[in-house]
């Protein structure tokens, strides 16, 4: 084939095109894309070429769902759950770095690896679970936007939920000016709310010893602490972010040398670390402000009432001492920006998940619209029935769903990045594999414990008849057994599919590089579909003949 014969001139990544008979076709033929090319020389200046994906991913760590859980944890438990944020941020850095490494080394993102590795039924189930996690992520964005509209224009929450559907059209209108410009605008607005909370942090003056104790001494006090802790974990380590990060790193042309690949992995980790550190500081400041203000002795009656059931729609009073009467307006603007910026990451993750698992391309506007509609329905029902308080609780439930969904994205990632047949010499070391599996096991153990304990408590304190309790018990424990069986299947199933690597990890590939270009650099071609943030059109087999 002409396409594969051109590989003798310049090695390229090899990836599946959906038709297994054409798995040796190069990913792209057009090399004149508007890409960031990383120089083939070792320099710290190269770090700037890698800046971007980590910050786009970190937006999900400061979305309305995070603000909601942060505010409630501070109001209810003061600084007692800060350690959860620290643990989750450290775990997120390690896990997100693995996702970046998978994309850098193999040239395929996580969803594409899942499609190549698992049987059709398993692949379909993983896709459904990934889609559910994206919808669960979009629910806080819908409700956060509705709260913001309520603060700005006094629009009822349920009408605001309906109006969030129009944000899809607004997002698409802004995208014509370039995704990067839109990202800078949203990042500026989100950092505005961060600056407000940093300023309020200085005013509230939380006790430093108590804050440090909350950060480094694990504790779960109170009946609702475990549920809120799981919500914090779910709001921090999101499954759709693993798919997104492994795809976004494919937007750079990197040298295909041993040093070039190692440098890319190292710089992506540094960039992710910096971005997640900013998100960590914002989350800590929100919890500290909420904890300091709501546990103050000089609160008026109205603010005390707000603190007992604190949600995004009531939180603007926390900034009143810094911003005065403008506190609710500016908080609403930043909350609106936070929700819409998170919509970007959710939309892109949805595109790559659908493309990777099903090899199915949808136009971005259609993909965004469908996802938003799925999130609007439960949000609208809860907003109509439960009002502001019910919508706030739905955010917590959505965060818990994300936490329960995490194993079905995390386990494939851990197995793929630990596999030498997929990662070659860049597979995780024994120490990294042990650490990541310990982190993953703890997350899954916490989820299972909470699920079982809450279900048993529900059965014991229910007012149903004995027959109904028995039926619910059988149904519930069957579901738990199925959940555990799915996790066990992913853990113990051996990887079967090898990845076609041109990462210079074998003597043959090194010899090929030396024969072809001596000291010249060898680049992998960046993915057009990743860089343009649009999915490529399906190509027919005639393109490779």
């Amino acid at each position: 084939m002409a396409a594969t014969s051109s590989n003798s001139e310049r090695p390229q990544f090899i990836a599946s095109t959906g038709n297994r008979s054409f798995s040796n076709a190069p990913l792209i033929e057009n090399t004149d894309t508007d890409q960031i090319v990383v120089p083939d020389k070792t320099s710290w200046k190269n770090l700037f070429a890698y800046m971007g994906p980590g910050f786009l991913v970190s937006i999900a760590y400061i979305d309305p769902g995070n603000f909601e859980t942060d505010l409630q944890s501070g109001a209810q438990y003061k600084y007692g759950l800060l350690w959860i944020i620290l643990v989750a941020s450290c775990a997120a850095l390690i896990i997100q770095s693995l996702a970046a490494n998978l994309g850098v080394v193999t040239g395929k993102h996580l969803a594409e690896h899942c499609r190549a590795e698992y049987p059709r039924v398993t692949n379909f189930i993983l896709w459904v679970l990934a889609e559910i996690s994206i919808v669960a992520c979009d629910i806080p964005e819908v409700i956060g936007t509705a709260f913001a509209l309520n603060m700005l224009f006094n629009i009822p929450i349920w009408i605001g939920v309906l109006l969030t559907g129009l944000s899809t059209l607004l997002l698409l209108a802004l995208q014509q000016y370039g995704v990067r410009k839109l990202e800078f605008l949203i990042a500026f607005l989100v950092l505005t709310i961060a600056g407000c909370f940093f300023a309020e942090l200085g005013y509230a003056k939380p006790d430093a010893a108590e804050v440090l104790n909350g950060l480094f001494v694990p504790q779960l006090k109170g009946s609702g602490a475990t549920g809120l802790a799981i919500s914090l974990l779910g709001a921090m380590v999101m499954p759709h972010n693993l798919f997104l990060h492994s795809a976004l790193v494919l937007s750079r042309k990197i040298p295909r040398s041993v040093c070039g690949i190692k440098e890319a992995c190292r710089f992506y980790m540094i960039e992710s670390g910096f971005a997640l550190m900013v998100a960590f500081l914002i989350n800590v400041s929100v919890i500290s402000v909420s904890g300091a203000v709501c546990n103050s002795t000089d609160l008026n009656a109205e603010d005390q009432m707000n603190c007992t059931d604190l949600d995004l729609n009531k939180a603007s009073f926390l900034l009143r001492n810094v911003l005065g009467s403008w506190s609710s307006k500016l908080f609403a603007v930043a909350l609106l920006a936070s929700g819409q910026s998170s919509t970007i990451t959710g939309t892109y993750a949805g595109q790559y998940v659908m493309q990777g698992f099903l090899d199915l391309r949808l136009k971005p506007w259609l993909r965004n619209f469908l996802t938003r509609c799925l999130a609007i329905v439960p949000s609208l029902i809860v907003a109509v029935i439960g009002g502001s308080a019910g919508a706030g609780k739905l955010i917590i439930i959505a965060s818990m769903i994300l936490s329960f969904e995490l194993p079905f994205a995390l386990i494939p990632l851990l197995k793929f990045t630990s596999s030498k047949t997929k990662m070659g010499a860049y597979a995780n070391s024994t120490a990294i594999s042990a650490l990541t599996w310990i982190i993953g096991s703890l997350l899954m153990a916490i989820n299972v414990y909470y699920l079982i304990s809450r279900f048993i408590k529900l059965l014991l304190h229910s007012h149903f008849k004995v027959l109904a309790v028995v039926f619910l018990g059988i149904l519930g424990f069957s579901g738990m057994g199925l959940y555990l069986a799915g996790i066990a299947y992913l853990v113990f199933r051996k990887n079967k599919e090898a990845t076609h690597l041109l990462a210079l990890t074998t003597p043959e590939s090194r010899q090929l590089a030396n024969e072809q270009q001596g000291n010249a650099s060898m680049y992998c071609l960046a993915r057009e579909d990743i860089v343009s943030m649009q999915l490529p059109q399906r190509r027919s087999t005639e393109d490779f003949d």
Side-chain angles (χ1 to χ4, degrees), residues 170-305:
L170 177 62
L171 176 62
L172 292 170
L174 292 175
Q175 279 183 325
Q176 65 180 325
Y177 298 103
V179 173
R180 297 302 178 191
K181 294 179 181 178
L182 180 61
E183 289 173 1
F184 280 123
L185 173 63
I186 292 174
F188 171 76
L189 292 174
V190 172
L191 288 176
T192 299
I193 192 65
C196 293
F197 273 104
F198 289 154
E200 177 68 4
L201 193 64
Y203 179 87
K205 294 182 176 61
D207 186 273
E210 290 186 33
V211 172
L212 291 176
N213 182 74
L215 274 173
F216 297 105
V217 179
Q219 53 185 308
L220 289 174
K221 298 179 180 179
S223 58
T226 303
L228 200 51
I230 291 178
S231 296
L232 285 171
L233 286 173
M236 289 292 289
V237 186
M238 297 188 182
H240 76 280
N241 255 3
L242 305 183
F243 297 104
L244 179 65
H245 204 174
S246 63
L248 290 176
V249 297
L250 302 178
S251 60
R252 271 65 172 170
K253 292 181 181 178
I254 65 172
R256 298 310 294 176
S257 61
V258 173
C259 292
I261 295 174
K262 287 184 177 180
E263 181 186 72
C265 294
R266 181 173 66 252
F267 282 160
Y268 273 131
M269 184 178 70
I270 294 173
E271 184 238 3
S272 299
F274 181 74
L276 291 177
M277 182 183 68
V278 173
F280 166 75
L281 293 176
I282 292 174
N283 284 294
V284 168
S285 68
V286 173
I287 292 178
S288 299
V289 168
S290 176
V293 173
C294 286
N295 290 276
S296 176
T297 57
D298 57 352
L299 277 182
N300 59 45
E302 181 184 356
D303 290 346
Q304 287 179 354
M305 184 65 65

Side-chain angles (χ1 to χ4, degrees), residues 321-344:
N321 294 320
V322 176
L323 301 172
S325 60
W326 284 91
S327 61
S328 62
K329 302 301 181 184
L330 190 55
F331 182 84
V333 170
L335 183 60
L336 184 66
S338 175
Q340 294 310 298
S341 61
S342 299
T343 296
I344 294 178

Side-chain angles (χ1 to χ4, degrees), residues 242-501:
L242 305 183
F243 297 104
L244 179 65
H245 204 174
S246 63
L248 290 176
V249 297
L250 302 178
S251 60
R252 271 65 172 170
K253 292 181 181 178
I254 65 172
R256 298 310 294 176
S257 61
V258 173
C259 292
I261 295 174
K262 287 184 177 180
E263 181 186 72
C265 294
R266 181 173 66 252
F267 282 160
Y268 273 131
M269 184 178 70
I270 294 173
E271 184 238 3
S272 299
F274 181 74
L276 291 177
M277 182 183 68
V278 173
F280 166 75
L281 293 176
I282 292 174
N283 284 294
V284 168
S285 68
V286 173
I287 292 178
S288 299
V289 168
S290 176
V293 173
C294 286
N295 290 276
S296 176
T297 57
D298 57 352
L299 277 182
N300 59 45
E302 181 184 356
D303 290 346
Q304 287 179 354
M305 184 65 65
N306 287 333
C307 282
T308 57
D309 189 21
L310 187 60
D311 59 31
L312 292 173
N313 208 30
K314 304 174 183 176
S316 60
F317 79 92
L318 297 173
L319 306 177
R320 187 182 302 148
N321 294 320
V322 176
L323 301 172
S325 60
W326 284 91
S327 61
S328 62
K329 302 301 181 184
L330 190 55
F331 182 84
V333 170
L335 183 60
L336 184 66
S338 175
Q340 294 310 298
S341 61
S342 299
T343 296
I344 294 178
T345 61
T347 300
Y348 292 156
Q351 292 176 20
Y352 302 134
V353 162
M354 184 167 287
Q355 174 261 329
F357 279 110
L358 304 182
D359 196 24
L360 176 64
R361 278 78 168 174
L362 286 182
K363 293 183 178 180
W365 71 266
L366 181 58
R367 166 74 227 181
N368 197 353
F369 181 76
L370 291 176
T371 302
R372 180 52 58 92
C373 287
L374 290 174
I376 283 177
V377 172
S379 303
L380 180 62
I381 294 173
V382 172
V384 171
I385 297 176
S388 174
K393 291 179 181 178
L394 183 59
I395 291 181
I396 301 296
I397 294 173
S399 298
M400 293 173 63
I401 291 174
L402 288 171
S403 188
F404 292 130
E405 294 272 356
L406 183 61
F408 299 99
L410 179 59
I411 293 175
L413 176 66
L414 297 183
K415 296 199 69 174
F416 295 161
T417 54
S418 299
S419 172
K420 290 188 179 297
T421 61
K422 293 185 180 295
M423 299 287 286
Y426 302 96
N428 296 336
S429 64
T430 303
I432 294 296
S433 294
L435 178 61
T436 52
W437 277 106
I438 289 174
I439 292 173
S441 299
L442 287 175
L443 291 174
M444 289 181 283
I446 291 173
N447 291 343
V448 172
Y449 166 77
Y450 180 76
L451 185 65
I452 294 177
S453 62
R454 291 291 292 180
F455 184 68
I456 292 176
K457 183 178 180 181
L458 176 65
L459 291 179
L460 293 178
H461 294 84
S462 66
H463 300 288
F464 299 121
K465 295 181 179 180
V466 176
L467 184 61
V469 171
V470 172
F471 176 76
L472 290 176
I474 295 175
L475 189 64
F477 283 108
S478 298
M480 293 179 199
L482 191 61
Y483 179 79
L484 293 175
I487 293 177
Y489 170 80
L490 293 178
V491 170
F492 295 107
R493 181 186 184 275
K494 293 184 178 181
N495 292 332
K496 297 180 179 179
E497 295 294 330
T499 301
H500 296 283
L501 289 173

